Amino acid sequence: MFLSRTLLESERAFARRFFAHTLDALLPRMRLYVRRVGDTRRALSLNGGRISMPRACFEHSDPRQGLRLSHPYIAGVFAHELLHQWQRLQGHAVTRQAAWLQVKAVCLRTDPYAYAGCDDQAEALQSFLSAQVEQQGQMWQDYVSGCIAGHADPVFAGVAEWVAGQMPETAITRV
């Protein structure tokens, strides 16, 4: 019976491609689970490097095999959940914030993932930096999905540098 497993080399390589070394502290102990409880069609990221993905995201729907990371949507969803792990490493209380956003969304009938698009890199970075955790996750998911599909949106270039730790802190004062 499958409970969890560490990331396969292809999944670690995917994380390094989009996060460079910013997840290195967590990657060795990160665990991948198949989503079994609640809405099993959605992914979930929990403290301690635990990511649960829907069964359909794995090769042949077998969680012992790799995630289908050549599929833009699946790669984007995995990147979204990895970003939540990255946010935790940055000191954000992701689980508490995301749970509140989900409750609020049900009560107010809003979309916690919605964000305003733009055509300017600096504006996109500022939007990312001021967004709540689910909006950041959705922006990142859209960027990574585009990369995998072969049409990455250049407006997210600054966001990609920021997440990968390749933009100096002083650069955001210009944003």
Side-chain angles (χ1 to χ4, degrees):
M1 178 179 189
F2 176 83
L3 295 176
S4 72
R5 66 168 171 78
T6 59
L7 297 185
L8 301 177
E9 183 50 41
S10 61
E11 295 154 351
R12 286 191 299 273
F14 176 88
R16 283 196 281 312
R17 174 181 173 189
F18 292 102
F19 292 87
H21 298 288
T22 60
L23 287 176
D24 281 358
L26 191 57
L27 278 177
R29 66 180 190 276
M30 194 173 289
R31 306 290 296 178
L32 199 56
Y33 297 77
V34 67
R35 182 76 191 259
R36 294 176 187 255
V37 178
D39 184 353
T40 58
R41 294 167 292 156
R42 294 179 60 177
L44 180 67
S45 174
L46 297 171
N47 289 341
R50 296 175 292 164
I51 296 176
S52 294
M53 297 290 288
R55 185 174 292 279
C57 294
F58 296 90
E59 294 289 339
H60 308 291
S61 294
D62 181 357
R64 293 170 294 195
Q65 295 190 32
L67 289 168
R68 297 186 301 134
L69 296 174
S70 62
H71 188 285
Y73 178 76
I74 293 170
V77 168
F78 185 51
H80 180 120
E81 301 310 327
L82 285 170
L83 187 81
H84 288 326
Q85 297 297 328
W86 176 87
Q87 290 165 328
R88 288 182 178 97
L89 290 174
Q90 308 306 308
H92 297 281
V94 176
T95 304
R96 184 174 58 241
Q97 290 177 29
W100 171 245
L101 290 167
Q102 297 300 329
V103 168
K104 197 164 95 173
V106 169
C107 295
L108 301 176
R109 295 185 182 173
T110 60
D111 182 0
Y113 303 95
Y115 65 92
C118 64
D119 294 328
D120 179 70
Q121 281 188 20
E123 187 180 333
L125 177 58
Q126 187 57 48
S127 178
F128 179 83
L129 293 173
S130 63
Q132 43 87 342
V133 295
E134 292 296 8
Q135 289 170 326
Q136 285 184 343
Q138 189 61 52
M139 288 177 201
W140 191 245
Q141 180 175 336
D142 292 346
Y143 167 70
V144 171
S145 291
C147 289
I148 300 301
H151 51 79
D153 189 341
V155 79
F156 288 116
V159 173
E161 289 176 3
W162 180 260
V163 170
Q166 298 169 346
M167 181 177 284
E169 286 276 336
T170 57
I172 60 168
T173 60
R174 294 178 303 192
V175 175

